[in-house]
Amino acid sequence: MGFQSPAALLSRLLLLQGVLRLVWGDLVFIPPFIRMSGPAVSASLVGDTEGVTVSLAVLQDEAGILPVPTCGVLNNETEDWSVTVTPGAKVLEVTVRWKRGLDWCSSNDTDSFSESPCILQTLLVSASRNSPCLAHLLIQVEIYANSSLTHNASENVTVIPNQVYQPLGPCPCNLTAGACDVRCCCDQECSSNLTELFRLSCFTGMFGGDVSPPFDQLCSAGTTTHSVPDWFPFLCVQSPLANTPFLGYFYHGAVSPKQESSFEVYVDTDAKDFADFGYKQGDPIMTVKKAYFTIPQMSLTGQCMQNAPVAFLHNFDVKCVTNLEVYQERDGIINAKIKNVALGGTVTPKVIYEEATDLDKFITNRETPLNNGSAPRIVNVEEHYIFKWNNNTISEINVRIIRAEINAHQKGIMTQRFVVKFLSYNSGNEEELSGNPGYQLGKPVRALNINRMNNVTTLHLWQSAGRGLCTSATFKPILFGEDVLSGCLLEVGINENCTQLRENAVARLDSLIQATHVAMRGNSDYTDLSDGWLEIIRVDAPDPGADPPASSLNGICLDVPARLSIRILISDAGAVEGITQQEILGVETRFSSVNWQYQCGLTCEHKADLLPISASVQFIKIPAQLPHPLTRFQINYTEYDCNRNEVCWPQLLYPWTQYYQGEPYSQCVAKGLLLLLFLTLAMFLSNPWTRICKAWLFF
């Protein structure tokens, strides 16, 4: 019987020592031994971790010699390895990483699929307080050149076809790689003998491989279909079969290969200056250096654009998530000077700095490096901009920046917030209107509570997080014109008192509507109750003090208020400079009750059940004039009903109908008359009309 290697013997000793230490409550690595086959491994250091340092050493596995670990010397990096420690609640997460990258294996080994390991080493991670060793972690490293998904496989990159010319999946029923799928006749892996067995039962349509069928609006489709209407030849589409809507994009015609030129032409990409005659709504704000004033904003794809221009009179509130390893601080705004031509000068932002109190609110998944000798760095976690405007100029800019001090090598995910508000120059506070005078879509519904001193408020909904419990849910305001449904979960026990349950549910629902009046307009004055303030109508409001219906069984409560419906009536109230103004006509809240029963599994355990409660908001638009009732002919004869037919005859001249809202009606009429003039001239100048005129003159 041969002797075991020192590394194997040490691993057995550490495993036995770790079990005993865990039983005694001492400091211990879990697990104490790891076989490493990838670029990184992690282990947990459990116990009293206060003041503990972690060191890393590479063991030389010599026959017959058991390595002796050295502690007390802080060594968290070697030439090839590094160790990082992430603190937790009485637990330290220790991560060991290979620094060179797995490309080093393929560069040093000509055979990327060699049977021998590329990296074969033994690592010892030791935890100590002051100098004595308290715990050890043994890592046996065996990494092969092809053992990681990060292996360089550039020669086998899948070529994705251009969807303009061919579909991405030409055979959707081919679900199994390297095998024949039964009834899938387009599967190239099926031999001719196998295909003959199910040729008469192949999948049809798109799933069977017919990914480019001729759509029914093609003129060629009418020749094979006998059920086309009489007007089909006049409105059908003349197009080749290659131009099909089933592809990812439409066919754009012949494409010639790009000719590589021997020189490059410089294109001037300077920002266009819109501030020479004052700003208009939506114009980008310019600096004196003829550059855009940029603040990170959210794009349509959900990503943060770091150099997005700030648009005049456009408010926004966005959050950007950034990895601290690749984060770069933006240029300071202290020296930024905003162009203000109308006032004959510039505007310099006034910046106020504040320190962040709760760093965990902004940075998650933090990893604290062991080497804290580097100087700390400052990061901005929140930036609040207030632009004071006067007509078409900017008169003042106030900036409040909340910053945090972190380690120079700090790792983690940071969430930044950027807020921009435009306020009138004569506004004494930062009170934001929801419209002037009518409401704007997406603005908060203004509310008032006359029963308390600080009476300014708004209507809210829940914004659940985590498990969706009501205890952890936050509030978000109700926005004008947006129908929303939200809810949360109440934890209820099997022995829950029904009266207490009703009171708790009513309190949760009432917390959303802590208001007595709502503003009819977006600029109603909070200090004047007669300036368009409407009292909220509460229908079927439950009395939390009333006794619930009697129930003789535990786990059953009748008539528990669980739903809140908020209906808001709105209407058009005229127009200002051609823009329709909307106002609120009334607000009604209504409660609905449910019968709750504790849900048992195989046995009724003493665990909390979940009672969902919800709140919904519905905006109902009331027309200024009642619409004319439908005639009997319109009810019975549905050919002209656009909602029940594919062909909509009332929208034949769509740009000149009431359904088109893209441009003002006057512009549509002007363009239509101009087009009619061109058609008339073309008709008079055409050859058939000239012949008719000559024949008329001849007779």
Side-chain angles (χ1 to χ4, degrees):
M1 183 175 181
F3 293 99
Q4 295 182 347
S5 64
L9 181 60
L10 182 59
S11 65
R12 296 177 182 272
L13 293 176
L14 289 178
L15 181 61
L16 178 60
Q17 182 186 21
V19 173
L20 296 177
R21 284 178 175 270
L22 186 61
V23 174
W24 296 334
D26 295 338
L27 201 66
V28 63
F29 280 100
I30 298 177
F33 175 72
I34 299 177
R35 288 189 177 273
M36 181 176 180
S37 60
V41 292
S42 298
S44 299
L45 183 60
V46 182
D48 185 10
T49 59
E50 183 177 359
V52 173
T53 59
V54 178
S55 60
L56 173 67
V58 180
L59 301 183
Q60 302 297 329
D61 192 2
E62 299 179 1
I65 299 178
L66 188 65
V68 178
T70 59
C71 296
V73 180
L74 181 62
N75 181 19
N76 63 338
E77 288 191 3
T78 65
E79 184 179 357
D80 300 327
W81 301 93
S82 66
V83 57
T84 56
V85 179
T86 304
K90 295 185 178 181
V91 176
L92 293 180
E93 188 74 17
V94 181
T95 304
V96 178
R97 289 187 176 88
W98 171 255
K99 296 168 56 176
R100 295 180 179 269
L102 295 182
D103 294 338
W104 181 81
C105 287
S106 58
S107 61
N108 290 349
D109 195 355
T110 57
D111 186 7
S112 60
F113 297 97
S114 174
E115 295 182 357
S116 59
C118 169
I119 305 172
L120 182 60
Q121 293 182 6
T122 302
L123 307 178
L124 183 64
V125 181
S126 302
S128 61
R129 186 182 290 111
N130 297 328
S131 59
C133 292
L134 301 178
H136 299 286
L137 168 64
L138 189 66
I139 303 176
Q140 182 66 46
V141 184
E142 291 185 9
I143 301 179
Y144 293 83
N146 62 339
S147 63
S148 175
L149 295 177
T150 59
H151 180 71
N152 185 13
S154 59
E155 299 179 358
N156 298 326
V157 174
T158 302
V159 179
I160 299 178
N162 190 350
Q163 298 183 58
V164 176
Y165 307 103
Q166 54 182 320
L168 182 61
C171 187
C173 60
N174 185 8
L175 304 177
T176 307
C180 175
D181 292 276
V182 179
R183 298 183 61 190
C184 185
C185 293
C186 60
D187 192 348
Q188 300 296 327
E189 296 163 343
C190 296
S191 62
S192 57
N193 296 331
L194 289 176
T195 308
E196 288 295 332
L197 298 176
F198 51 81
R199 181 175 298 276
L200 299 179
S201 301
C202 294
F203 292 113
T204 59
M206 183 75 67
F207 186 73
D210 190 9
V211 293
S212 298
F215 56 105
D216 54 0
Q217 301 298 329
L218 279 179
C219 295
S220 58
T223 58
T224 58
T225 306
H226 300 285
S227 60
V228 296
D230 297 336
W231 48 262
F232 183 81
F234 298 98
L235 298 180
C236 63
V237 179
Q238 291 284 355
S239 177
L241 292 177
N243 185 9
T244 169
F246 293 97
L247 293 178
Y249 303 96
F250 281 97
Y251 180 64
H252 295 291
V255 177
S256 59
K258 179 180 178 181
Q259 300 293 334
E260 297 292 341
S261 58
S262 58
F263 63 92
E264 295 183 357
V265 180
Y266 174 75
V267 179
D268 187 9
T269 59
D270 291 340
K272 296 182 180 180
D273 194 351
F274 295 93
D276 291 336
F277 301 99
Y279 293 105
K280 298 189 301 293
Q281 184 175 5
D283 288 346
I285 297 177
M286 307 296 298
T287 64
V288 294
K289 297 181 180 180
K290 293 186 177 182
Y292 293 142
F293 183 74
T294 61
I295 296 176
Q297 301 177 41
M298 195 73 67
S299 66
L300 295 177
T301 60
Q303 298 178 344
C304 273
M305 300 182 296
Q306 296 296 324
N307 298 320
V310 178
F312 185 65
L313 297 182
H314 279 198
N315 301 339
F316 61 84
D317 186 350
V318 300
K319 292 184 179 180
C320 294
V321 179
T322 309
N323 193 336
L324 285 175
E325 293 183 348
V326 297
Y327 171 75
Q328 294 182 354
E329 192 66 35
R330 300 188 304 119
D331 295 336
I333 63 172
I334 301 178
N335 299 324
K337 296 182 182 298
I338 305 303
K339 190 175 182 180
N340 203 350
V341 178
L343 297 180
T346 60
V347 180
T348 302
K350 301 177 182 178
V351 185
I352 299 176
Y353 292 97
E354 297 180 4
E355 299 298 329
T357 56
D358 187 6
L359 196 59
D360 295 334
K361 179 181 177 182
F362 305 100
I363 302 177
T364 58
N365 300 333
R366 289 193 296 168
E367 292 185 8
T368 304
L370 294 178
N371 186 11
N372 296 326
S374 303
R377 62 170 175 168
I378 304 298
V379 294
N380 296 342
V381 293
E382 285 191 13
E383 297 181 8
H384 299 260
Y385 297 82
I386 297 177
F387 293 83
K388 294 292 186 67
W389 61 274
N390 182 10
N391 292 330
N392 55 358
T393 61
I394 297 175
S395 59
E396 184 181 350
I397 302 177
N398 296 321
V399 184
R400 182 171 62 94
I401 297 179
I402 301 177
R403 57 186 183 180
E405 180 179 312
I406 63 175
N407 190 281
H409 303 285
Q410 181 77 54
K411 297 180 181 180
I413 305 299
M414 180 176 63
T415 302
Q416 293 178 293
R417 183 186 178 191
F418 301 92
V419 181
V420 170
K421 291 183 180 180
F422 284 86
L423 301 177
S424 178
Y425 74 100
N426 55 4
S427 59
N429 50 26
E430 299 180 13
E431 178 183 314
E432 183 180 0
L433 301 179
S434 296
N436 188 18
Y439 274 97
Q440 294 181 8
L441 294 177
K443 292 292 186 178
V445 175
R446 296 159 64 87
L448 199 64
N449 190 348
I450 62 175
N451 297 327
R452 63 184 186 184
M453 295 296 296
N454 186 14
N455 56 2
V456 177
T457 182
T458 185
L459 305 181
H460 294 95
L461 289 176
W462 286 300
Q463 188 171 8
S464 301
R467 296 175 55 196
L469 299 179
C470 297
T471 54
S472 60
T474 58
F475 294 114
K476 61 179 180 180
I478 294 178
L479 304 180
F480 183 82
E482 296 184 4
D483 295 344
V484 186
L485 174 64
S486 69
C488 61
L489 300 174
L490 278 178
E491 290 185 319
V492 187
I494 189 173
N495 297 321
E496 188 76 21
N497 183 277
C498 292
T499 302
Q500 184 178 359
L501 176 59
R502 285 166 53 88
E503 293 178 354
N504 191 11
V506 171
R508 295 290 181 182
L509 296 174
D510 276 340
S511 64
L512 303 178
I513 48 174
Q514 292 294 319
T516 57
H517 295 74
V518 294
M520 178 185 296
R521 298 180 299 273
N523 63 347
S524 297
D525 189 4
Y526 282 113
T527 60
D528 187 4
L529 196 61
S530 62
D531 187 19
W533 289 95
L534 304 173
E535 186 175 358
I536 299 177
I537 303 174
R538 300 175 183 265
V539 181
D540 298 337
D543 185 6
D547 293 333
S551 177
S552 59
L553 298 177
N554 289 336
I556 297 178
C557 290
L558 305 179
D559 294 340
V560 179
R563 298 189 184 96
L564 172 64
S565 299
I566 304 175
R567 296 194 297 178
I568 303 176
L569 303 181
I570 62 176
S571 176
D572 295 339
V576 176
E577 297 182 358
I579 301 177
T580 303
Q581 303 294 315
Q582 293 181 321
E583 65 180 16
I584 294 178
L585 302 180
V587 177
E588 177 193 88
T589 62
R590 186 184 299 269
F591 289 86
S592 301
S593 301
V594 297
N595 296 330
W596 171 80
Q597 180 178 358
Y598 186 87
Q599 301 295 327
C600 294
L602 297 177
T603 59
C604 287
E605 302 177 357
H606 291 281
K607 296 191 302 183
D609 193 13
L610 297 177
L611 171 64
I613 59 177
S614 61
S616 62
V617 178
Q618 181 183 11
F619 286 85
I620 304 174
K621 189 169 184 179
I622 306 299
Q625 296 180 355
L626 293 178
H628 296 287
L630 297 177
T631 62
R632 184 181 301 176
F633 174 79
Q634 292 174 334
I635 296 175
N636 297 330
Y637 194 67
T638 61
E639 183 176 353
Y640 293 92
D641 190 351
C642 297
N643 297 326
R644 289 183 281 182
N645 291 282
E646 294 182 358
V647 181
C648 183
W649 289 107
Q651 298 182 11
L652 180 61
L653 301 176
Y654 181 71
W656 297 281
T657 61
Q658 59 180 352
Y659 305 101
Y660 181 66
Q661 302 292 333
E663 293 177 318
Y665 184 72
S666 58
Q667 296 184 13
C668 296
V669 173
K671 293 178 181 179
L673 293 177
L674 185 61
L675 179 60
L676 182 61
L677 176 61
F678 288 154
L679 293 177
T680 305
L681 290 177
M683 184 180 64
F684 275 104
L685 297 178
S686 62
N687 191 24
W689 183 259
T690 304
R691 292 181 180 179
I692 294 175
C693 292
K694 289 181 179 180
W696 180 265
L697 294 176
F698 179 77
F699 290 103

